[in-house]
Amino acid sequence: MSVSEIHEQSVAALIARYLKSQGVKRVYGLCGGHIMPVWMRLDAEGIRIVDVRDERAAVYMAHAEAELSGGLGVALVTAGPGVTNAITGIANAHVSRASVLVLSGLPPMPQENRGALQDIVHTEMVRGITRYARTVRNADLALQEIDEAVSRALGQGGEPGPVYLDFPVDIVRSKVSIPMQMQERFTQRAPLKITPEISAIHAAVDLLWSAKRPLIISGRGARGAGKELCELLSRTGAAYLDTGESKGLVPESHSSVVAAMRGTVMQQADVVLTIGRRLDFQLAYGSPSVFGEAKFIRIADCAAELRDNRRGSVEILATGSLALQAMLDVAGKRLSAVDKTWVEGLRSKHLERSAKLVSSMREAAPGSDGLMHPNRVLSALRDALPEDAVVVADGGDFLSFARVGLPASTYLDPGSLGCIGVGTPFGVAASLACPDKTVVVATGDGAFGFNAMELDTAVRHKAPLLVVVANNGSWAIEVRDQLETHGKVVGTRLQFSDYAAMAKAFGLYAERVERAEDLPDAIKRAMANRPALLDVLVTPEAVSSDAKSGLAWVPDLQPLAAWDEAERSWRSTE
């Protein structure tokens, strides 16, 4: 069957036209017979297909596209193992609340449940990690179903996140009746905005403006509210912490930023305002053992970020930008009761620690093996990258160094699922979605190995990213935990593989760097010849903050050892 034989009124053609109407420019996927009609019609509509080497990477790329565009990311994977391969990517998008549409196919309905090739019920596997999961067995309902799925993915009326649709291939080839191709479905609708309840706004203003030690923490739901957030910080004088979900939203130069004093400010705050941020393990679940007697104000546009783990004294279900602007309007010229000395002290210590970190990174000593410290890699990148660079950080141990050592105005990482391996796929998608920006992937060697084959995708699609692999030949956090806790290393050492040679085989510009003094020039050469990879040998002896914290051995009550001890003490109070 040729492209011309895939009828222009078919389900396949309708799917392609619908996606084009919604502004979709790229679809990430791996081809197969069950999705071939859709694949070809996407191409016919001028939608670029970024073909990958593994379906998991396709979903990761769609995830990054959604995060960076603020819209929809689309992945197209074939039936059976195509879907099972994609599940990790779907799970990560689920936890990250990323607006991803995953499309797949099925054997023709006459062969259903008869042992056909790749015949398996996909929806039962993905239903728990999607906002919507359906098999479409009626051609006339295809447009309605995809429109509903995309609305769910974008969080129109609920929590955003991944959605899944599949179609028997005979349905994909079937014609859709003209009356069912209603044009109303092809309208690209503006994101829904939720107006805050004014009485809750008044209550939030009274509480926040009366606080002596207010702390504001932003997450996913604050991404569209950067202007309002910065003004709120300036008007209240509150301390501010970002998270990986909103890193770069408030510039490092803002006087409220106290990231290097995270533990202290969490313990000392008397009012905590969260904006679109769950109180997950990274924020000690909001426990009084860490946050003391602080009162909470929760603002979110979905319930999952409004009342998890801690109820707020004030809870506002609203779009972040609208809620913050309403607070500013209600407060007017009201003066904040903030203890300026407290915030200034935190800021001063933050700047002191930050300067010390930058200095120590430049001078970090090599290990006894003679290999450089990971911070030397990050220091060289800090010096080389433009301020508007897109930074993708990936790994376990190396991510711990990069999270604090590599600032970024646009930042992506594995997220709270801890889904290492996203680095190269995220980087490929980011460099295609943001061609005017420098995209760098800073990854550990273990994490890099998950999707290293996507270097081939980067070359074929001329994705101008730079991948920097911190190669320490190990799963470093686990090695340290095994040595300290169990006295021996079991199955956690890798080899110092030559990733530069691998990258060259795919057609990338690549170098192996063994000395810190060679890094600046190597980075310059790589930046001028992207896509490129630098394989940088680093010592496995370096100890990250995560390795010190107890994160590896997984305490019972809290993720970090110090928090776990505090939680035990708090729970034992009579």
Side-chain angles (χ1 to χ4, degrees):
M1 180 176 289
S2 67
V3 177
S4 61
E5 292 175 305
I6 303 170
H7 199 278
E8 290 190 0
Q9 307 306 326
S10 67
V11 168
L14 202 67
I15 290 171
R17 290 204 302 275
Y18 175 83
L19 293 178
K20 186 174 183 178
S21 77
Q22 302 305 299
V24 173
K25 296 181 174 63
R26 284 169 293 275
V27 169
Y28 303 92
L30 204 163
C31 200
H34 296 106
I35 58 172
M36 188 67 75
V38 178
W39 190 276
M40 301 310 296
R41 289 307 309 183
L42 289 171
D43 177 70
E45 289 290 343
I47 294 175
R48 181 178 179 180
I49 293 178
V50 181
D51 55 308
V52 302
R53 300 299 300 270
D54 185 278
E55 290 87 355
R56 172 179 50 182
V59 183
Y60 288 157
M61 292 181 191
H63 180 155
E65 175 96 21
E67 298 278 37
L68 293 169
S69 69
L72 183 71
V74 183
L76 178 60
V77 303
T78 200
V83 174
T84 58
N85 286 348
I87 282 179
T88 298
I90 297 172
N92 196 41
H94 165 69
V95 173
S96 300
R97 306 178 295 292
S99 299
V100 173
L101 167 65
V102 180
L103 298 172
S104 186
L106 286 167
M109 285 197 296
Q111 299 182 43
E112 189 174 14
N113 200 32
R114 298 185 68 195
L117 175 67
Q118 298 180 337
D119 185 14
I120 189 169
V121 180
H122 306 132
T123 51
E124 290 183 5
M125 293 188 288
V126 302
R127 198 177 306 281
I129 51 173
T130 56
R131 305 294 180 266
Y132 194 71
R134 296 274 293 170
T135 294
V136 183
R137 293 185 172 87
N138 185 302
D140 278 354
L141 296 180
L143 183 56
Q144 173 180 319
E145 287 286 2
I146 194 169
D147 189 34
E148 178 64 19
V150 169
S151 297
R152 299 278 189 104
L154 294 171
Q156 294 178 359
E159 184 180 23
V163 295
Y164 174 87
L165 290 178
D166 59 23
F167 306 79
V169 71
D170 56 328
I171 295 299
V172 169
R173 292 192 286 251
S174 298
K175 293 182 183 180
V176 179
S177 62
I178 298 299
M180 292 300 289
Q181 298 183 36
M182 291 177 281
Q183 288 306 303
E184 65 197 49
R185 299 283 185 187
F186 292 93
T187 301
Q188 187 174 2
R189 303 181 190 280
L192 292 177
K193 293 190 175 182
I194 307 172
T195 304
E197 167 60 46
I198 193 63
S199 62
I201 292 294
H202 279 277
V205 167
D206 285 342
L207 185 55
L208 185 64
W209 260 256
S210 298
K212 298 289 187 183
R213 301 183 303 279
L215 168 63
I216 297 176
I217 305 174
S218 64
R220 179 205 64 84
R223 287 179 188 158
K227 174 179 173 291
E228 294 83 0
L229 175 57
C230 287
E231 186 174 351
L232 181 69
L233 291 169
S234 297
R235 293 265 293 274
T236 61
Y240 172 71
L241 294 177
D242 66 9
T243 59
E245 296 181 354
S246 59
K247 189 170 182 177
L249 195 64
V250 175
E252 292 283 324
S253 58
H254 198 288
S255 59
S256 290
V257 173
V258 295
M261 299 298 294
R262 183 174 298 266
T264 300
V265 71
M266 286 168 61
Q267 291 173 345
Q268 294 181 354
D270 58 0
V271 172
V272 179
L273 167 61
T274 65
I275 308 164
R277 187 57 165 87
R278 301 183 72 169
L279 290 170
D280 61 12
F281 76 95
Q282 299 171 89
L283 293 170
Y285 311 116
S287 174
S289 67
V290 173
F291 284 93
E293 297 182 1
K295 295 180 179 179
F296 281 78
I297 303 169
R298 309 293 302 273
I299 297 174
D301 59 5
C302 65
E305 297 162 356
L306 190 66
R307 54 179 180 266
D308 65 304
N309 290 315
R310 290 294 299 273
R311 297 300 298 255
S313 297
V314 183
E315 296 173 349
I316 303 173
L317 180 63
T319 300
S321 59
L322 297 184
L324 298 187
Q325 187 59 56
M327 290 176 66
L328 292 167
D329 292 343
V330 166
K333 296 182 179 180
R334 178 173 175 174
L335 296 178
S336 168
V338 66
D339 181 348
K340 294 181 180 179
T341 303
W342 175 71
V343 178
E344 288 169 357
L346 289 169
R347 175 67 177 172
S348 176
K349 290 180 181 178
H350 160 80
L351 293 173
E352 181 182 330
R353 286 187 177 182
S354 297
K356 184 178 179 180
L357 173 64
V358 171
S359 176
S360 67
M361 287 172 64
R362 295 184 191 279
E363 302 166 1
S368 63
D369 50 14
L371 297 177
M372 75 181 85
H373 194 286
N375 273 338
R376 295 297 294 271
V377 182
L378 297 171
S379 178
L381 286 173
R382 285 180 70 113
D383 292 340
L385 294 179
E387 289 186 5
D388 67 345
V390 178
V391 171
V392 180
D394 192 13
D397 199 56
F398 189 61
L399 175 62
S400 178
F401 289 109
R403 189 171 53 239
V404 297
L406 195 57
S409 59
T410 305
Y411 174 84
L412 298 172
D413 70 13
S416 58
L417 188 62
C419 195
I420 64 173
V422 300
T424 302
F426 273 16
V428 169
S431 62
L432 295 176
C434 306
D436 57 331
K437 293 186 177 181
T438 299
V439 175
V440 63
V441 176
T443 179
D445 55 331
F448 173 68
F450 280 96
N451 287 288
M453 282 295 292
E454 299 309 327
L455 293 179
D456 173 73
T457 304
V459 172
R460 287 184 294 106
H461 290 277
K462 298 180 173 57
L465 76 160
L466 168 61
V467 179
V468 180
V469 181
N471 187 352
N472 64 11
S474 67
W475 300 99
I477 289 180
E478 286 73 21
V479 167
R480 179 164 296 277
D481 178 47
Q482 287 180 343
L483 285 172
E484 294 181 354
T485 307
H486 305 280
K488 64 184 297 189
V489 176
V490 181
T492 53
R493 291 199 191 280
L494 303 171
Q495 57 183 337
F496 286 92
S497 300
D498 192 339
Y499 298 115
M502 174 187 178
K504 289 176 182 177
F506 285 126
L508 276 80
Y509 178 86
E511 295 185 34
R512 173 168 264 205
V513 184
E514 300 185 19
R515 302 188 308 166
E517 55 266 34
D518 295 334
L519 271 171
D521 287 341
I523 292 172
K524 287 180 183 178
R525 289 189 293 270
M527 292 279 282
N529 292 280
R530 291 171 288 163
L533 179 141
L534 294 179
D535 176 17
V536 187
L537 297 187
V538 300
T539 179
E541 297 172 8
V543 185
S544 69
S545 59
D546 284 352
K548 298 174 185 177
S549 68
L551 196 66
W553 57 266
V554 192
D556 288 342
L557 303 178
Q558 286 278 357
L560 308 182
W563 289 355
D564 191 65
E565 292 175 8
E567 184 79 15
R568 290 178 186 279
S569 176
W570 173 69
R571 292 193 185 190
S572 65
T573 303
E574 294 295 333

